[in-house]
Amino acid sequence: MPDELNTIAATTAEARTAGERRAQSRTNEKLGSRGEITRMVGVDFARFLAIIGMFCAHLMTPRGQPGHMPWLTSVVEGNASTLFAVVGGVSVVFATRSYLERGYVAAARWAMLARGLLVILIGMTLALAPGNVVVVLVYFGVAMLCTIPFLRIAPKWLLVSASILALVGPIANANLRAVLGVMNEGGGIDWTQWGDPTVALRAVFLTGTYPVVTWLVYLLVGMAFAKRLVAAVGTATELRFLGRTAGLGALLAAFALVTSSLIFEAFGRSSMVAAMPGASTDMMDTVVEGPGFGAPFSPASWALALQTPHTGATLDIVRGVGIALVVIATMLLLARALPKPVLRILEPVRAAGAAPLTVYVLHVLAASAAVNVLLMATPPPTTIPWWYLGPAIVACHVLGAVAVGALLAALKRRGPLEACVSGLSGAAARSFGGVTAAGPHPQQTGERAARKDSSSLASSRDTST
């Protein structure tokens, strides 16, 4: 009898322990889902800021025109596109992490190959639209393809690779352009430019407006950040990591700005005076302040050291990466700190940030439509119309992006282009990467639990291409 009582007691204790473990597991799952939601929301917020920055860069009145806002130009020029690219690197890790964790390395590669190719196809088609926006998607898509060999590389070596490219790339870029005698061989790369594939490929990788030799640096930095973020989450040091990242980003940006200014005043200004004897101080400052056309404007050592936006010079890269790290880390911290009611209010913003491809395509098409109207206007306007350039049209595009986000949030759907790219890349992974049909899609396993915790954040997974 005592033995039977001991057996019953032991069985009861084991059952209680098992129940406690299940309860704790459910609690951890909920906490993990909430953490995953806030991380995704923070990335979406950062991506939304990048999109708005690009709106401003494309649609605000340019230098030398009435209504130009120098302070806004200095904030967004070169920084918005860099932020978009660094967040793109974060998205590469988020989009392939589940495949890699389950051992489907080939599937991760096929998925990224499909994503990159689809972005390239969309970009070449979109670039056919007339307008003043240089469509970045072809460059971005090729850079995505170039991340495939780096998918399993540790963050340390990702940063080493990015540093080498940031040092060597500008030198190769500036010298090649000098040898060829070209300033810029490609804006938005469209279908027609592939009639001469040598020039088109050269433009994509080196001599275009957004050369892959520069943009790959940004994606590699974003990938390193995302991998270290995941590691920090696993060791419960996420807050410390984000705080240090924001501080490091601020130091990098300040270092680039100060060092560039010192180098220009010490060496650059006198060199420009010698090269352009009649140039005024304002003219020289305008050249140095940018923007460039994807490469340093001279292969001279002092020009390679400046932080002029859109030149891909080393300090330009350092400044852009620093600001991007500050923004991403701050948005992740903000998403953690905001209560759920506030996040629900900001859901349209989050949803717009989660649909960057859809929002970007609509933005480019709207800007192109304005150009067509301007060209057909009779008589032509004597001043810049508000619906073409300026704060008013920027506000319209921002409101349009938020409206798209509100619609997607209400429908609990992804952006149509994001859904298309994700679906086709998943099909490629399953068809060629050995992913079995059984079980949920790798990118959905952690999200379904998250949906149960917060229906208003149901579509908060990372959907960037």
Side-chain angles (χ1 to χ4, degrees), residues 81 219 248 414 434:
S81 57
L219 266 72
L248 174 62
R414 311 170 73 175

Side-chain angles (χ1 to χ4, degrees), residues 352-409:
L357 188 58
T358 298
V359 171
Y360 180 82
V361 168
L362 291 174
H363 158 67
V364 173
L365 292 177
S368 176
V371 170
N372 286 327
V373 172
L374 186 66
L375 293 175
M376 292 186 297
T378 52
T382 56
T383 59
I384 299 176
W386 70 266
W387 43 263
Y388 177 56
L389 294 176
I393 191 60
V394 171
C396 290
H397 280 244
V398 172
L399 291 175
V402 174
V404 170
L407 178 62
L408 295 175

Side-chain angles (χ1 to χ4, degrees), residues 134 139 173 177-178 180-189 193 199 202-204 206-211 292-295 310:
V134 178
Y139 303 97
N173 198 345
R177 296 188 190 210
L180 295 173
V182 299
M183 179 179 293
N184 180 21
E185 284 192 305
I189 307 295
Q193 289 172 262
V199 173
R202 193 167 62 201
V204 168
L206 277 170
T207 60
T209 306
Y210 301 105
F293 296 95
H310 287 305

Side-chain angles (χ1 to χ4, degrees), residues 85-287:
V86 175
V87 175
V90 175
S91 299
V92 168
V93 172
F94 284 179
T96 58
R97 179 164 62 103
S98 294
Y99 290 122
L100 296 175
E101 288 177 349
R102 296 172 56 194
Y104 292 124
V105 178
R109 292 169 178 165
W110 277 105
M112 192 50 55
L113 176 65
R115 284 174 178 266
L117 291 176
L118 289 168
V119 170
I120 291 169
L121 295 176
I122 294 171
M124 288 194 298
T125 303
L126 186 63
L128 293 171
N132 56 354
V133 177
V134 178
V135 176
V136 72
L137 294 181
V138 172
Y139 303 97
F140 187 44
V142 175
M144 290 171 66
L145 297 181
C146 291
T147 65
I148 293 175
F150 297 92
L151 291 179
R152 294 201 296 167
I153 301 298
K156 172 184 175 181
W157 296 111
L158 288 173
L159 294 176
V160 169
S161 302
S163 299
I164 293 172
L165 276 175
L167 291 170
V168 176
I171 299 173
N173 198 345
N175 280 281
L176 177 61
R177 296 188 190 210
V179 170
L180 295 173
V182 299
M183 179 179 293
N184 180 21
E185 284 192 305
I189 307 295
D190 62 39
W191 293 93
T192 63
Q193 289 172 262
W194 292 97
D196 189 340
T198 300
V199 173
L201 285 172
R202 193 167 62 201
V204 168
F205 284 96
L206 277 170
T207 60
T209 306
Y210 301 105
V212 171
V213 71
T214 301
W215 271 58
L216 182 57
V217 176
Y218 302 141
L219 266 72
L220 293 178
V221 171
M223 291 172 66
F225 170 85
K227 291 190 175 191
R228 289 194 167 173
L229 174 63
V230 171
V233 171
T235 57
T237 57
E238 183 178 0
L239 289 176
R240 186 192 311 167
F241 168 74
L242 292 175
R244 289 179 175 178
T245 299
L248 174 62
L251 287 175
L252 289 175
F255 170 79
L257 291 167
V258 172
T259 304
S260 175
S261 178
L262 292 175
I263 289 174
F264 178 66
E265 295 301 333
F267 307 103
R269 191 176 293 278
S270 59
S271 298
M272 291 188 72
V273 169
M276 299 184 297
S280 65
T281 300
D282 290 341
M283 181 184 296
M284 289 187 288
D285 289 341
T286 299
V287 172

